[in-house]
Structure formats: structure tokens, C-alpha cells
């Protein structure tokens, strides 16, 4: 990016004469740059109450922005809740894993005296730890 | 300059701040600063013949109108997108809640067994 380079805009004489503040004009044209391609002189000529139209569109924009703001807020709350629940599930899942290990140990000591269905318990734990721990990896 | 030879032009040199802005626009629009300057010059040129007292004022209002319309449309799209995201998040929340209840129940069962 050439910091020293100068940029000039050649403004038609007649335009320069009729405009009191060229700095402001250039500033505005830069600001509205993407929209200059949408200007059609014929359409512009037909617009005789631009102020009123601007007022209406502005009102509509404000209304829609308000709705958008509320929705973003709603999203923020629900996203936070879901996230919190997700973290809680992950932690509880980890705790389950540790409990399962203890039970494995207990089983080796007490064996048949424990009437737990190990296989299905293990399956359930695996399901949840996969669901939460793998998901977490995906997210990272 | 490739404009009409009959017309006269005034040279306007961009200020430092305007130059910065120009670079930024070029980046945003994936083009180069010279092209933007050319496009603005062409724009000014195409309207120079229609000099009327309030033309430029009207033109700037018109540009503002176009921008607002564009932003309004963008916002409507954002609203649809956010609604979609909210529904998805709601779905997740219900799933997580279901999971949570199952996990808690299992936890309780295991803990009571652990005490044996």
C-alpha cells in the first residue's frame, strides 16, 4: 500500500462551481460508493418527494432493527442456556465414567453379589461420553 | 483521464483520511483504489450535464435512500437467519435437557450402587 502516493479526482468544472463544499462531496461519494451504481437519472428525476420517502424507509429500518435486536437477544439467552447444559452434561458424563471405573473395581472384588447389568450401563455411558466428548473435540 | 476534451475539470486531491477510506473501500470491494477513483470520476462526469440547483442534494439523498433500502433488506435476511439459529438452538436445548435427565438418573443409580 503506497502511503506516499497521491490520489486525485477530476471533478467537472460545472459541478465544482455549483457545489459549495467539495471536501464534503468527495467524502459522501466515498461513503456511498457501492450505491453510486444504483443511481439512474430517469428514476432520480421522477423522485419529487425524496424527503418523505427517506423518512418512511428510515422508519421501516428502525422497526426492523428493533426486531432484529430482540431476536439477537433471544438467541443470546438460549445459546447461553444450551451451552451451559452442554457443559454440565459433559461434566456429569465424565463423573459417570469415573464411577463406572470404581464399579469395575467393585465387580472384581464382589463379583456376582452385585446385580448390575454392566454391559448395558457401559453402553449408555459410552453413548453419552462419545456424544459430549467427541462433540467437544469437533467444536475445538 | 479519458473524458470529454471539451469539458474542463478541477483537480481535487484526496486528503490523508480520504485516502485511507479509499484503500478500505478498495479492500472491501475487492478492487484497487485507481478503479474506484475512475468510477467516481465517471459518476461525476455523467451527472455534470444535468446541473441544476438541487441536483447534488437530491442525488445524495437518493444515495442515502438506496443505502437504507439495502440495509433494511440485509436486516430482514439477518432476521430470517437468526430465527433459524434460534430454532436450532431450541432443538439442542431440548436434546440436552433429555440427555441431562438420563445422565442424572444413571448417575444416581450408579452412586447408590457404589455405596453397597
Amino acid at each position: 500500500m503506497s502511503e506516499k502516493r497521491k490520489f486525485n479526482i477530476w471533478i467537472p468544472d460545472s459541478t465544482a462551481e455549483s457545489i459549495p463544499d467539495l471536501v464534503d462531496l468527495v467524502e459522501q461519494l466515498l461513503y456511498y460508493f457501492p450505491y453510486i451504481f444504483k443511481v439512474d437519472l430517469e428514476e432520480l428525476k421522477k423522485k419529487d418527494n425524496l424527503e418523505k420517502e427517506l423518512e418512511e424507509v428510515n422508519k421501516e429500518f428502525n422497526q426492523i432493527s428493533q426486531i432484529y435486536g430482540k431476536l439477537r437477544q433471544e438467541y443470546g439467552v438460549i445459546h447461553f442456556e444450551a451451552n451451559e447444559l452442554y457443559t454440565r452434561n459433559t461434566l456429569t458424563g465424565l463423573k459417570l465414567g469415573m464411577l463406572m471405573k470404581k464399579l469395575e473395581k467393585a465387580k472384581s472384588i464382589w463379583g456376582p453379589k452385585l446385580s448390575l447389568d454392566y454391559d448395558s450401563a457401559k453402553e449408555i455411558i459410552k453413548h453419552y461420553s462419545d456424544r459430549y466428548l467427541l462433540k467437544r473435540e469437533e467444536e475445538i | 483521464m479519458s473524458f470529454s476534451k471539451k469539458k474542463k475539470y478541477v483537480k481535487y486531491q484526496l486528503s490523508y483520511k480520504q485516502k485511507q477510506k479509499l484503500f478500505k473501500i478498495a479492500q472491501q470491494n475487492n478492487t484497487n483504489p485507481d478503479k474506484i477513483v475512475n468510477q467516481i470520476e465517471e459518476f461525476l462526469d455523467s451527472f455534470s450535464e444535468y446541473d441544476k440547483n438541487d441536483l447534488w442534494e437530491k442525488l445524495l439523498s437518493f444515495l442515502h435512500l438506496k443505502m437504507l433500502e439495502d440495509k433494511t433488506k440485509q436486516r430482514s435476511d439477518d432476521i430470517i437467519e437468526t430465527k433459524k439459529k434460534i430454532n436450532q438452538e431450541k432443538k439442542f436445548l431440548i436434546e440436552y435437557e433429555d440427555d441431562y435427565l438420563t445422565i442424572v438418573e444413571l448417575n444416581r443409580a450408579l452412586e447408590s450402587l457404589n455405596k453397597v
Side-chain angles (χ1 to χ4, degrees), chain A residues 57-74:
Chain A
V57 176
N58 207 1
K59 213 167 127 190
E60 191 192 342
F61 177 67
N62 284 339
Q63 274 168 351
I64 213 166
S65 292
Q66 232 168 21
I67 296 172
Y68 177 65
K70 273 185 194 152
L71 279 174
R72 287 301 301 175
Q73 221 170 7
E74 193 186 328

Side-chain angles (χ1 to χ4, degrees), chain A residues 9 24 38 41 46 65 81 94 109 114 124:
Chain A
I9 289 182
D24 184 57
K38 292 185 177 175
L41 193 77
K46 280 181 212 147
S65 292
E81 281 175 5
L94 283 171
I109 300 167
L114 283 173
I124 297 169

Side-chain angles (χ1 to χ4, degrees), chain A residues 3 5 7 9-11 13 27 30 32 35 41 47 64-65 78-79 89 99 103 131-132, chain B residues 8 10 12 14 18-19 25 34 41 47 58 64 70 75-76 89-90 95-96 99-100 107 110:
Chain A
E3 285 291 324
R5 227 195 105 182
F7 281 92
I9 289 182
W10 292 87
I11 301 173
D13 228 2
E27 210 113 295
L30 284 171
Y32 293 120
Y35 303 99
L41 193 77
K47 302 257 180 203
I64 213 166
S65 292
I78 200 164
H79 180 73
N89 281 359
L99 276 176
L103 280 171
R131 180 172 160 86
Y132 286 96
Chain B
K8 281 182 181 170
V10 174
Y12 176 89
L14 292 190
Q18 287 172 337
K19 217 172 79 175
I25 298 169
D34 292 300
E41 282 175 342
F47 283 95
K58 207 172 165 186
H64 191 65
D70 211 47
R75 272 287 133 90
S76 317
E89 224 40 49
K90 270 185 185 157
E95 272 180 36
Y96 293 163
D99 285 357
Y100 184 67
N107 193 16
L110 282 172

Side-chain angles (χ1 to χ4, degrees), chain B residues 2-112:
Chain B
S2 57
F3 300 134
S4 156
K5 294 244 163 61
K6 280 184 236 159
K7 272 191 214 166
K8 281 182 181 170
Y9 294 88
V10 174
K11 187 169 95 173
Y12 176 89
Q13 192 186 314
L14 292 190
S15 67
Y16 179 74
K17 225 176 110 191
Q18 287 172 337
K19 217 172 79 175
Q20 296 297 104
K21 175 94 184 150
L22 180 69
F23 283 128
K24 207 174 145 197
I25 298 169
Q27 211 174 19
Q28 283 167 351
N29 291 276
N30 237 338
T31 176
N32 64 60
D34 292 300
K35 266 194 193 153
I36 291 175
V37 166
N38 282 343
Q39 279 161 334
I40 289 179
E41 282 175 342
E42 271 170 40
F43 178 76
L44 284 164
D45 210 50
S46 65
F47 283 95
S48 64
E49 312 233 328
Y50 302 93
D51 271 336
K52 277 184 197 156
N53 284 341
D54 65 339
L55 175 80
W56 288 98
E57 204 183 312
K58 207 172 165 186
L59 201 61
L60 291 173
S61 297
F62 186 76
L63 286 169
H64 191 65
L65 183 70
K66 288 283 157 199
M67 187 184 79
L68 270 181
E69 278 173 357
D70 211 47
K71 278 189 174 173
T72 306
K73 202 192 149 292
Q74 179 63 45
R75 272 287 133 90
S76 317
D77 292 349
D78 289 347
I79 284 178
I80 293 167
E81 201 51 44
T82 309
K83 275 185 180 163
K84 259 192 227 160
K85 277 166 118 185
I86 287 176
N87 283 335
Q88 197 187 30
E89 224 40 49
K90 270 185 185 157
K91 210 184 98 212
F92 280 151
L93 195 62
I94 292 166
E95 272 180 36
Y96 293 163
E97 255 160 9
D98 280 352
D99 285 357
Y100 184 67
L101 293 176
T102 317
I103 292 175
V104 164
E105 212 173 296
L106 196 63
N107 193 16
R108 235 180 254 145
L110 282 172
E111 253 172 359
S112 63

Side-chain angles (χ1 to χ4, degrees), chain A residues 12-138:
Chain A
D13 228 2
S14 52
T15 305
E17 272 169 25
S18 67
I19 289 179
D21 190 350
L22 284 185
V23 180
D24 184 57
L25 175 75
V26 171
E27 210 113 295
Q28 302 228 46
L29 287 179
L30 284 171
Y31 180 67
Y32 293 120
F33 175 73
Y35 303 99
I36 65 172
F37 306 103
K38 292 185 177 175
V39 178
D40 170 22
L41 193 77
E42 289 312 307
E43 196 191 343
L44 186 67
K45 276 180 182 166
K46 280 181 212 147
K47 302 257 180 203
D48 26 68
N49 208 342
L50 261 175
E51 286 308 311
K52 203 178 165 224
E53 204 175 330
L54 259 177
E55 209 177 287
E56 276 162 17
V57 176
N58 207 1
K59 213 167 127 190
E60 191 192 342
F61 177 67
N62 284 339
Q63 274 168 351
I64 213 166
S65 292
Q66 232 168 21
I67 296 172
Y68 177 65
K70 273 185 194 152
L71 279 174
R72 287 301 301 175
Q73 221 170 7
E74 193 186 328
Y75 173 72
V77 172
I78 200 164
H79 180 73
F80 178 78
E81 281 175 5
N83 229 16
E84 216 177 15
L85 204 52
Y86 175 76
T87 311
R88 214 164 52 173
N89 281 359
T90 308
L91 291 175
T92 320
L94 283 171
K95 205 174 149 196
L96 275 181
M98 286 188 316
L99 276 176
M100 196 62 211
K101 269 188 192 155
K102 276 191 192 171
L103 280 171
E104 288 280 354
K105 212 174 166 188
K107 189 193 173 193
S108 67
I109 300 167
W110 300 100
K113 283 182 190 168
L114 283 173
S115 59
L116 175 71
D117 184 350
Y118 284 97
D119 291 338
S120 61
K122 255 172 129 176
E123 218 172 277
I124 297 169
I125 289 168
K126 198 179 173 318
H127 169 78
Y128 286 109
S129 63
D130 281 357
R131 180 172 160 86
Y132 286 96
L133 298 177
L134 290 178
K135 222 173 182 180
R136 181 179 260 188
E137 273 167 21
E138 269 171 29

